[in-house]
């Protein structure tokens, strides 16, 4: 019984490997011209803004519907959690945590001229 299963697996593997080998290679992606790419971005900007506005409207309707359903069911409506956007790197100094020890920056340490001798 085990030999039949092993043989079936071997046949399936060979058939799938031969089918995979016959697939054509993917077409190379041509490099984009920076000027053409910038023009495409400018052309697509109004459509992107419209899509963003539609998405925001749909999200607002979903939130209002959820809150109305929660009120109708007599359950407390959860308060929205504020989402903090991460600051750009280097925009604001990072303050140490209270109670944390300050670490001095490492001084220039030169490597030893020769490896230590074994005794």
């Amino acid at each position: 019984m085990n030999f039949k299963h092993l043989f079936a697996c071997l046949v399936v593997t060979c058939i799938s490997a031969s089918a995979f080998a016959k697939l054509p290679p993917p077409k190379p992606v041509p490099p984009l011209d920076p000027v053409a790419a910038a023009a495409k971005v400018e052309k697509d900007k109004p459509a992107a803004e419209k899509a963003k506005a539609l998405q925001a409207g749909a999200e607002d309707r979903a939130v209002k519907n959820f809150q109305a359903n929660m009120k109708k069911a007599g359950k407390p409506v959860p308060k929205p959690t504020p989402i903090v956007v991460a600051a750009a790197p280097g925009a604001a100094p990072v303050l140490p945590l209270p109670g944390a020890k300050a670490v001095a920056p490492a001084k220039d340490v030169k490597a030893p001229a020769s490896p230590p001798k074994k005794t």
Side-chain angles (χ1 to χ4, degrees):
M1 195 71 167
N2 286 339
F3 181 71
K4 290 180 182 179
H5 290 286
L6 180 63
F7 184 71
C9 288
L10 181 66
V11 169
V12 169
T13 303
C14 290
I15 291 172
S16 63
S18 67
F20 183 72
K22 294 178 183 178
L23 291 176
K27 294 181 181 179
V29 178
L32 293 176
D33 182 26
V35 176
K40 184 177 185 311
V41 167
E42 287 298 321
K43 186 179 104 182
D44 293 342
K45 190 178 275 189
E49 290 175 0
K50 181 179 178 184
K52 188 183 280 189
L54 288 173
Q55 178 69 25
E59 289 173 0
D60 289 341
R61 283 193 308 275
V63 168
K64 288 180 183 176
N65 184 25
F66 171 75
Q67 290 175 344
N69 289 340
M70 292 294 281
K71 285 181 184 177
K72 196 183 300 182
K75 297 179 181 177
V77 178
K79 293 182 180 177
T81 306
I83 299 173
V84 180
V85 178
V94 178
L95 301 175
L97 296 174
K101 295 181 181 179
V103 179
K107 295 181 181 179
D108 290 337
V109 179
K110 296 182 180 178
S114 61
K117 296 179 182 178
K118 295 183 179 179
T119 54

